Amino acid sequence: VNGMQLLAAGQADCYLGFDVQTMKVREQGVDAVTVAAVFQKDPQVMIGHPEVFKKMEDLKVVVNGIGASGVACSKILMNAGVTNIIGCDTRGAIYNGRTENMNFMKDWYAENTNPEGIQGDLTEAIKGANMFVGLSGPGTFSVDQLKSMAKDPLVFAMANPTPEIMPEEVRAVRDDAIMATGRTDYPNQVNNVLCFPYIFRGALDSGATTITDAMEIAAVHAIAELAQAEQSEVVAAAYA
């Protein structure tokens, strides 16, 4: 089943017709882990560095790649309090009134994001942004674009196996950036493996028939708290 069709059907209705418990791992996994990565213990703030706090509603977030994962990540970021999200695809920023390369989900996206109506390509959209969420392809985010972001930016380049920009490139020009990829061989992995099969197991244990927004937000809080917990010997051995 096409991921965009499932998203359009809604969190509850998308399971109609299935006789087994179902989870959209690429959407309901990636989005929960992405938001967990920007939460501190207080879910109303984002942390870029231990001493730098910003309110979620004050963030400017640019999502590159508006497929099923990009739309799902944008929705849960909005549920978490982010109000200024700009989505970009291969044609540039998605805005209300755009007609080129659109579909039913991009129409929804255009109506519900990009409050300033920014047009143009990723270079234009990323200026002054606090967070880059890459769900696109390799090498699609440049060093020059990175340089134009706000102070203490979050750069989540999650294309696999080759991210939108490499950690080495980020470190070379922005020592204030927090860099994450979806890979296990770099620090700060943001990947749906961090919440699957655990959300699914929780749903099975509780007898739930759908994975709801509230369940994803609960997972966000749990992952964020675990990320800051003292590392046990068992965890250290597993990830050595």
Side-chain angles (χ1 to χ4, degrees):
V1 179
N2 183 285
M4 285 292 230
Q5 293 173 328
L6 287 175
L7 278 172
Q11 293 295 86
D13 295 340
C14 70
Y15 301 100
L16 296 179
F18 291 101
D19 295 325
V20 295
Q21 174 61 274
T22 308
M23 178 180 178
K24 306 189 297 292
V25 178
R26 288 195 63 192
E27 293 83 51
Q28 292 172 317
V30 172
D31 59 1
V33 177
T34 299
V35 177
V38 301
F39 269 15
Q40 249 287 9
K41 290 183 179 179
D42 177 354
Q44 297 305 310
V45 298
M46 178 279 285
I47 186 166
H49 284 290
E51 69 279 5
V52 179
F53 292 84
K54 294 181 178 68
K55 292 183 178 180
M56 298 294 281
E57 60 264 29
D58 293 336
L59 296 180
K60 176 182 177 180
V61 179
V62 175
V63 179
N64 194 43
I66 306 303
S69 295
V71 173
C73 280
S74 299
K75 285 185 173 182
I76 197 170
L77 282 165
M78 292 164 69
N79 287 339
V82 179
T83 59
N84 187 5
I85 298 179
I86 304 168
C88 293
D89 61 9
T90 57
R91 302 296 195 277
I94 295 175
Y95 58 90
N96 201 2
R98 201 184 91 167
T99 58
E100 184 183 10
N101 193 38
M102 298 293 284
N103 56 39
F104 60 93
M105 280 307 299
K106 289 182 182 179
D107 288 339
W108 174 92
Y109 204 95
E111 293 172 3
N112 290 278
T113 63
N114 196 356
E116 298 177 1
I118 291 175
Q119 302 182 27
D121 59 11
L122 178 60
T123 298
E124 185 65 28
I126 200 66
K127 292 177 181 177
N130 305 104
M131 181 178 181
F132 170 80
V133 179
L135 295 160
S136 49
T140 52
F141 188 50
S142 71
V143 167
D144 286 339
Q145 290 166 341
L146 170 65
K147 288 179 178 179
S148 73
M149 294 183 72
K151 187 177 182 295
D152 302 315
L154 293 176
V155 180
F156 290 5
M158 296 183 285
N160 264 326
T162 306
E164 287 79 1
I165 187 170
M166 297 300 294
E168 294 85 354
E169 296 177 280
V170 173
R171 286 196 296 268
V173 297
R174 293 294 301 259
D175 60 6
D176 62 332
I178 293 292
M179 174 69 189
T181 71
R183 290 170 45 158
T184 59
D185 56 340
Y186 284 104
N188 301 337
Q189 183 188 26
V190 177
N191 191 293
N192 54 23
V193 70
L194 299 176
C195 74
F196 184 84
Y198 311 109
I199 295 177
F200 196 58
R201 175 59 189 268
L204 291 174
D205 288 349
S206 64
T209 57
T210 63
I211 308 294
T212 66
D213 288 345
M215 292 164 68
E216 288 189 78
I217 292 295
V220 165
H221 292 207
I223 294 169
E225 290 178 7
L226 282 171
Q228 298 173 69
E230 186 175 348
Q231 189 180 78
S232 69
E233 293 181 3
V234 174
V235 172
Y239 288 90

